[in-house]
Amino acid sequence: MSLHRISLTVNHFPEQVDVPANMTLLQMLREKLALTGTKNGCAAGECGACTVMMNGEPINSCMVLAVECDGAELLTVEGLARDRQLDPVQQALIDTGGVQCGFCTPGMLISARGLLNRNPHPTENEIREALAGNLCRCTGYFRIIEGVRKAAEMQSGAK
Ligand code: FES
Ligand code: FES
């Protein structure tokens, strides 16, 4: 199969990648860019484990073709921390014990970051809605929701 060259920004850095027409964004991240933090849970748009930010919006990377990402700006879990400083959603999930096996965590973190970017002070219901597409097979939802609530407080400077 012929390859298509795409140019995009991944985790704040420009990249050029040659991809087959049928390669998903999830496959490209994991197989071409070695960004294996993004997980493959169902490959069918059901579990949210593959969630990444595309042009500022959380999306299921298993449902997007890599060629569709030409010119896009992508953020994966590997790009959340900046200047050796964890993103508040990362720190808060650690603090609240919201990580068990960790398989859902990268997708949860990206969905949570997307929520807090568009709504810095979400209600519990808004947090639940934003994470509704992210399944946790360890079922640690309470602590994850608590973590996102704490992240909102941390980034607004509340104690
Ligand atoms: S791996 Fe993409 S939604 Fe499950
Ligand atoms: S922490 Fe195990 S799947 Fe969520």
Side-chain angles (χ1 to χ4, degrees):
M1 186 177 293
S2 63
L3 296 178
H4 303 265
R5 173 156 297 187
I6 62 170
S7 302
L8 66 172
T9 304
V10 183
N11 295 336
H12 323 291
F13 292 98
E15 296 276 3
Q16 286 200 326
V17 195
D18 294 325
V19 294
N22 64 351
M23 176 172 263
T24 66
L25 171 57
L26 175 60
Q27 290 170 321
M28 183 192 82
L29 291 169
R30 293 180 57 86
E31 296 168 22
K32 293 272 184 178
L33 297 176
L35 293 171
T36 55
T38 303
K39 301 303 183 206
N40 182 359
C42 66
E46 299 288 342
C47 73
C50 66
T51 306
V52 301
M53 204 93 80
M54 181 172 173
N55 299 327
E57 291 294 329
I59 52 124
N60 289 334
S61 61
C62 70
M63 301 302 287
V64 174
L65 290 173
V67 288
E68 296 178 79
C69 300
D70 194 24
E73 189 166 331
L74 299 178
L75 181 74
T76 73
V77 68
E78 290 91 345
L80 273 178
R82 300 297 304 270
D83 303 324
R84 305 180 67 80
Q85 190 90 32
L86 292 179
D87 186 287
V89 292
Q90 294 175 300
Q91 188 60 58
L93 244 67
I94 294 171
D95 294 347
T96 58
V99 181
Q100 294 181 73
C101 80
F103 191 83
C104 71
T105 306
M108 289 282 186
L109 290 169
I110 294 292
S111 291
R113 173 44 53 215
L115 168 66
L116 296 184
N117 284 353
R118 61 181 185 273
N119 177 4
H121 305 290
T123 64
E124 182 174 328
N125 274 347
E126 288 169 334
I127 295 172
R128 287 179 183 275
E129 267 175 34
L131 300 184
N134 294 83
L135 304 183
C136 175
R137 60 192 181 183
C138 302
T139 68
Y141 292 105
F142 176 79
R143 289 180 176 190
I144 293 169
I145 290 161
E146 189 59 18
V148 178
R149 200 188 53 70
K150 180 171 180 176
E153 283 178 9
M154 287 167 69
Q155 68 178 32
S156 71
K159 299 286 178 204

